[in-house]
Amino acid sequence: MPILLKILCRTILCLFLFWAMDLNAQSPHLDSTLLKISKEYLPERAYLHYDKSSYLPGETIWYKAYIMQSLFPAHGSKTFYIDWVAENGELLAHNASPVIEGLSNGQFEIPANYKGEVLHVRAYTKWMLNFDSALVYQKTIQVISKNPQLKKQVLPQAIPQLQFFPEGGELVAGVSNRLAFKANDQWGKPHKIKGILMEQGVSIDSIRMQHDGMGSLVFTPKPGAAYTAKWKDEKGSEHTTALPSINASGIALQVTEFDNKKHIAVHFSPRQEGQVKVNIIGTMQGIMIFKTAGIADPGGTVKKVIPLDNVPSGIMVITVFDEAWNALAERISFVKNDDHAFQTSLNVAHWGLNKRARNEIEISIPDHLEGANLSISITDVMIDKDSSSNIISHLFLNSELKGHIHNPSYYFKDRSVQTAQHLDLVMLTNGWRRFKWEDIAKGRLPVMKFAKDTNYLTLSGQLIGVPKSQLTGLESLVLFVKEKDSGAKMMVLPIDREGRFNDPDVIFFDTLKVYYQVKSKLFSSSSASFMTEKIAAPNYTSLKNEFARYYPFRFDTTIGYHRKFAAEALALQQKLKGNVLENVTVTAKTKPTLQVMDEKYASGLFSGGDSYQFDLVNDPTAMGRLDIFSYLTGRVAGLQISNTGSETNLSWRGSPPTLFLDERMADVDLISMVPIDDVAYIKVFRPPFIGAAGGGAGGAIAIYTKKGNDVVNRSNNRGGLSSNTITGYAPLKEFYSPNYNNFDKRHELKDVRTTLYWNPMLVAKPNKPLKIQFFNNDITTAFRIVIEGMSKEGYLTHLEEIME
């Protein structure tokens, strides 16, 4: 089935119940507003797969980013930002990466002198910044000190706390209420407690943990009564915590699941006056799944049953409204239909656990998929590993909820009743307020501060200090763009009436040095701001307290093993960088310098020919000239040059010569702006020159800017042009994985790599297993393989296996 048809079918499943709404639940604005939000205002969410869990200073963190919107890969945003932040809030790097079909990848090298114990990662698209900052991707990575601990690690004392969460949001007197609780410490880690529920000082129930510090109990509060919990922590210390206040009237919402159906019960307070109507809706990923209504007498109950067979997996938000569509209660509940993931198969075709032995594995995906993009990490099994979270648990749980979730991957390990009950405790104990229902009920749409990055970052910008009313749209910006280790390339970009300029074809990585001038007599000295579409990183020094709390990492044998061999690998890398190969002298017949320059720069009709040739790379007098025309003055017999700069007049045998810059036609105005120290070679062709329009009666002058090893930074002067250093996408590097079947000088060194193989861009197709080859190092006896990925349809996969 074609992928678009599959996506359409999946979307129809999402909307299956939407079209079967209860006609008694009429809402003039809510339906249309939610529908518009589901089409235009859905948030994006991201997950990063790393090659391993912890690193030493100086090591490179390799990552793959997966970005989703609703149930599918995020195709809208084209730029992904990753901020690498030190423990003290100092911004180490603000990187941007291009996004292709919801995917991106890159790397970050931890500074070798980094002293912190952790490194914070914050990743987002521009679109994600319109929503709750707590849902932006965050990760705290352990940084292992190169020096072992000299004294026994002393962990700080845990400070336990107990929180209560009424189902639906509030406790109501006179009706059955379910009250969830969560006990944890200051780092969000579960804390074991024992306690009792007290009513007016009398014990009425026990507080029993069911999973990871969470539990729930059901009771009926009395009007005016005070309730407290008395409990003991792991050390036996006693504590008292007050329960939330009791409302004298209102509704209590309860949601249960069995037979693959959500059973919803809305209990009304006995103090309610007369019959009361409520509206109930369910949404997932911003899409309305169901809408229904019910009426009950005081003390009565409205019950509804929602089939889940055609509902996609994910968090369902169930909201109860009164007749005027004011929100009364809300509850999140998870739907797990196993339609969110696909199973990846791994087969070992060739085992190689010996020193530097070859290994070959085959990776297969299910036949019903159109294709999938995977990332794979293969590490030494003896180093530390954090398996508490993965692509599935993060994108379906962490990225949707505020607060810390302990060991989220546990909730996706199986479909047992017990695991489902434990997952429901997570739903009960985590807040949810994505929608402002009072605005939606009135038809008000969210206000978006940031537009979606639907185009890639390109060489673009905006004129500064120029009245837009004076722009004609005929102005242009002349640029000389200089990349690292290359000459300057001239470009001319039109400026629109808003003062903006852009070349959509120039998508660049790393940095560019740009020299520029506005081609306009009125605004020739104007300044420009470049890359205005790229957002700046926030001030993390002032925001450092907003990072997720982290528990001090323990130091164990896996950390010690990791430290030992990762540090040795770094030392070997430094040794390799410092090695200088023996000089090899090759004697050959030397070509004339001008012949070498002509072969290097000129091509086609510009190659050879009857011409004057000038090598400016090796001409020390060139640097003393104002521009190219002043350099040529008096050097070419018959070529008449008068005036200077953009007013220069040229004549040869009564006709002006045709001008070329890097074999592209140019004019006097542009050539006069070319910095002389960016020019490598000039050819002046005698008339006529057949490569010019009209026969070239005045001959031609071809100017070539420097490239390759001709680039010499002899001066920062660029003829008075304004300059700017601009940063594009972060440069990509290739992970080094040796092939011991081939000769390589590096193979002479000891191999103690802790990450043996990393590939972030594996493209898998059905019925065609992917074959991957990698080689063992000198020390590893077993491998840990972690594969994660996303299909074109938006299904996710996670596989972790040990080869031993």
Side-chain angles (χ1 to χ4, degrees):
M1 184 185 295
I3 183 172
L4 291 178
L5 185 56
K6 283 189 175 182
I7 292 177
L8 178 61
C9 290
R10 197 173 179 204
T11 306
I12 291 172
L13 289 181
C14 293
L15 299 174
F16 174 78
L17 291 174
F18 178 77
W19 301 112
M21 299 299 174
D22 189 334
L23 296 179
N24 293 319
Q26 299 296 320
S27 50
H29 298 294
L30 190 140
D31 292 356
S32 59
T33 305
L34 274 181
L35 188 60
K36 191 171 183 62
I37 288 175
S38 69
K39 291 180 178 179
E40 301 177 17
Y41 296 90
L42 290 184
E44 295 169 335
R45 56 197 196 279
Y47 167 78
L48 269 64
H49 176 201
Y50 304 93
D51 65 303
K52 55 184 182 178
S53 299
S54 61
Y55 302 85
L56 268 68
E59 282 198 291
T60 298
I61 300 174
W62 302 89
Y63 69 86
K64 166 75 168 289
Y66 296 89
I67 307 159
M68 295 188 75
Q69 186 173 39
S70 185
L71 301 173
F72 312 109
H75 291 281
S77 291
K78 301 299 183 186
T79 299
F80 189 62
Y81 296 92
I82 304 181
D83 296 337
W84 305 91
V85 186
E87 187 175 355
N88 62 1
E90 177 190 358
L91 180 65
L92 301 177
H94 174 61
N95 292 341
S97 301
V99 178
I100 302 174
E101 296 182 348
L103 307 166
S104 189
N105 69 283
Q107 72 289 317
F108 172 72
E109 184 175 321
I110 304 174
N113 60 351
Y114 186 68
K115 302 299 182 183
E117 295 182 358
V118 298
L119 186 69
H120 298 295
V121 184
R122 191 171 183 266
Y124 47 91
T125 63
K126 185 186 291 188
W127 184 250
M128 290 171 68
L129 298 180
N130 291 307
F131 304 91
D132 196 319
S133 61
L135 303 181
V136 167
Y137 176 86
Q138 293 190 54
K139 174 76 173 179
T140 299
I141 296 176
Q142 181 179 10
V143 179
I144 305 171
S145 171
K146 293 181 181 179
N147 301 314
Q149 294 290 316
L150 299 179
K151 58 183 179 178
K152 185 178 180 180
Q153 184 186 21
V154 179
L155 298 175
Q157 184 176 350
I159 303 174
Q161 61 177 344
L162 178 63
Q163 301 174 77
F164 289 97
F165 304 86
E167 184 174 13
E170 295 179 335
L171 292 175
V172 180
V175 298
S176 175
N177 289 254
R178 186 181 183 190
L179 180 66
F181 63 85
K182 178 166 64 174
N184 56 8
D185 59 23
Q186 67 268 40
W187 301 289
K189 290 175 62 67
H191 196 89
K192 295 179 181 179
I193 68 164
K194 295 179 180 179
I196 55 175
L197 178 64
M198 308 287 290
E199 178 185 281
Q200 303 292 106
V202 179
S203 174
I204 61 171
D205 203 348
S206 61
I207 297 175
R208 299 173 296 275
M209 291 193 311
Q210 295 167 280
H211 177 68
D212 275 352
M214 299 178 292
S216 69
L217 52 88
V218 178
F219 77 113
T220 302
K222 294 179 181 178
Y227 294 87
T228 57
K230 288 190 174 182
W231 53 282
K232 293 182 179 180
D233 60 27
E234 294 175 356
K235 293 187 176 181
S237 301
E238 294 186 351
H239 305 265
T240 300
T241 302
L243 267 64
S245 60
I246 312 298
N247 289 348
S249 63
I251 65 167
L253 171 64
Q254 291 186 0
V255 179
T256 55
E257 180 180 337
F258 53 90
D259 294 335
N260 205 33
K261 298 179 179 68
K262 294 290 183 187
H263 295 259
I264 302 172
V266 181
H267 302 295
F268 289 80
S269 167
R271 295 191 176 189
Q272 208 76 37
E273 296 181 2
Q275 286 190 330
V276 179
K277 176 185 176 182
V278 291
N279 299 301
I280 309 171
I281 69 168
T283 57
M284 295 184 72
Q285 298 293 338
I287 299 172
M288 187 183 291
I289 298 296
F290 71 86
K291 182 173 67 172
T292 185
I295 299 176
D297 295 319
T301 300
V302 170
K303 296 183 178 181
K304 297 291 179 179
V305 177
I306 308 300
L308 301 177
D309 294 335
N310 294 313
V311 177
S313 295
I315 293 177
M316 176 187 289
V317 186
I318 300 169
T319 310
V320 181
F321 301 83
D322 63 16
E323 191 170 6
W325 291 98
N326 298 304
L328 303 176
E330 190 168 79
R331 154 88 143 96
I332 58 175
S333 182
F334 203 89
V335 177
K336 190 189 288 187
N337 275 334
D338 283 351
D339 60 347
H340 58 287
F342 65 91
Q343 185 65 44
T344 299
S345 301
L346 176 65
N347 175 56
V348 180
H350 188 275
W351 288 83
L353 296 177
N354 295 327
K355 178 180 178 180
R356 302 195 178 190
R358 183 179 70 87
N359 292 270
E360 185 176 308
I361 60 176
E362 295 178 345
I363 302 171
S364 302
I365 62 172
D367 295 343
H368 68 272
L369 298 178
E370 287 285 334
N373 199 293
L374 311 173
S375 50
I376 180 173
S377 169
I378 303 176
T379 58
D380 188 325
V381 77
M382 291 296 293
I383 69 172
D384 50 297
K385 171 61 179 174
D386 179 10
S387 299
S388 63
S389 180
N390 58 51
I391 186 172
I392 298 172
S393 63
H394 185 87
L395 288 175
F396 278 91
L397 204 59
N398 299 71
S399 64
E400 295 281 356
L401 300 177
K402 295 183 181 180
H404 176 76
I405 301 173
H406 181 71
N407 195 22
S409 63
Y410 161 82
Y411 303 103
F412 295 87
K413 68 183 182 66
D414 56 41
R415 286 204 66 187
S416 68
V417 173
Q418 184 183 57
T419 304
Q421 291 172 344
H422 293 167
L423 178 55
D424 198 46
L425 289 174
V426 176
M427 299 294 101
L428 286 165
T429 56
N430 281 272
W432 179 279
R433 281 296 180 271
R434 173 165 292 177
F435 292 137
K436 293 183 178 180
W437 289 112
E438 60 272 21
D439 289 343
I440 293 177
K442 295 177 182 179
R444 297 173 185 162
L445 293 169
V447 177
M448 298 289 116
K449 182 179 179 181
F450 298 96
K452 188 173 291 187
D453 273 328
T454 56
N455 297 308
Y456 291 107
L457 293 177
T458 58
L459 181 57
S460 61
Q462 175 84 43
L463 292 188
I464 300 174
V466 176
K468 296 179 181 179
S469 59
Q470 297 183 25
L471 291 172
T472 64
L474 300 177
E475 295 83 5
S476 58
L477 189 71
V478 180
L479 303 103
F480 297 94
V481 181
K482 187 177 184 300
E483 298 180 89
K484 286 185 177 180
D485 302 322
S486 66
K489 175 184 177 182
M490 191 201 73
M491 304 175 64
V492 181
L493 302 184
I495 301 172
D496 66 17
R497 290 180 178 271
E498 297 295 318
R500 298 170 302 202
F501 53 89
N502 177 38
D503 189 335
D505 295 327
V506 180
I507 300 173
F508 65 98
F509 291 76
D510 213 341
T511 57
L512 294 178
K513 185 72 174 180
V514 176
Y515 302 90
Y516 67 92
Q517 186 175 53
V518 179
K519 191 178 179 183
S520 166
K521 292 183 178 180
L522 188 60
F523 306 117
S524 60
S525 60
S526 299
S527 298
S529 177
F530 290 85
M531 310 300 289
T532 53
E533 293 300 312
K534 185 179 181 181
I535 57 175
N539 180 359
Y540 286 110
T541 303
S542 61
L543 298 176
K544 63 181 180 180
N545 292 330
E546 296 185 12
F547 281 108
R549 297 166 296 175
Y550 67 92
Y551 183 73
F553 293 100
R554 292 183 181 273
F555 299 103
D556 54 21
T557 55
T558 63
I559 294 292
Y561 181 95
H562 192 173
R563 175 194 291 115
K564 175 182 178 181
F565 290 108
E568 187 174 352
L570 285 170
L572 290 169
Q573 288 179 20
Q574 292 301 316
K575 181 179 179 181
L576 184 64
K577 290 179 181 179
N579 285 343
V580 180
L581 297 178
E582 296 181 2
N583 292 328
V584 178
T585 303
V586 179
T587 304
K589 184 178 179 180
T590 304
K591 296 180 181 179
T593 302
L594 289 176
Q595 181 182 345
V596 172
M597 296 294 283
D598 199 67
E599 292 176 354
K600 182 175 182 178
Y601 286 95
S603 63
L605 294 174
F606 295 88
S607 180
D610 185 13
S611 64
Y612 293 87
Q613 297 170 270
F614 301 95
D615 173 11
L616 277 70
V617 172
N618 300 297
D619 185 352
T621 67
M623 295 302 298
R625 300 296 180 174
L626 179 65
D627 57 20
I628 293 170
F629 299 126
S630 63
Y631 175 81
L632 291 175
T633 300
R635 293 176 183 262
V636 178
L639 176 61
Q640 302 296 319
I641 303 177
S642 60
N643 296 333
T644 59
S646 60
E647 303 298 327
T648 300
N649 292 315
L650 302 170
S651 178
W652 202 355
R653 297 182 185 177
S655 299
T658 305
L659 302 178
F660 295 90
L661 181 64
D662 292 329
E663 299 184 354
R664 295 181 180 179
M665 286 191 64
D667 57 20
V668 169
D669 195 9
L670 295 181
I671 297 299
S672 66
M673 296 169 62
V674 178
I676 191 71
D677 60 345
D678 281 330
V679 177
Y681 181 51
I682 300 176
K683 292 186 73 173
V684 182
F685 294 92
R686 293 181 176 85
F689 177 62
I690 60 173
I701 302 174
I703 299 102
Y704 295 90
T705 55
K706 294 175 182 176
K707 62 183 179 181
N709 56 7
D710 286 339
V711 179
V712 179
N713 293 320
R714 293 183 292 189
S715 170
N716 290 323
N717 179 31
R718 291 296 186 273
L721 299 180
S722 300
S723 65
N724 206 328
T725 300
I726 58 178
T727 304
Y729 289 119
L732 293 175
K733 297 181 180 179
E734 184 177 356
F735 179 84
Y736 170 65
S737 183
N739 183 343
Y740 286 119
N741 288 335
N742 301 328
F743 172 78
D744 191 309
K745 190 75 174 176
R746 291 172 289 187
H747 296 171
E748 297 176 2
L749 297 176
K750 186 178 179 180
D751 186 355
V752 289
R753 293 167 296 128
T754 52
T755 300
L756 292 102
Y757 185 80
W758 166 257
N759 192 331
M761 299 300 286
L762 291 174
V763 179
K765 297 181 180 179
N767 301 311
K768 191 176 182 181
L770 276 173
K771 294 184 178 182
I772 294 174
Q773 174 181 273
F774 70 96
F775 288 81
N776 193 10
N777 56 25
D778 295 342
I779 57 170
T780 298
T781 58
F783 313 123
R784 175 179 281 107
I785 301 177
V786 178
I787 299 172
E788 296 193 302
M790 179 167 59
S791 74
K792 291 185 177 181
E793 300 90 338
Y795 304 116
L796 306 176
T797 189
H798 171 81
L799 176 68
E800 182 173 336
E801 290 195 7
I802 305 297
M803 283 180 61
E804 59 183 356

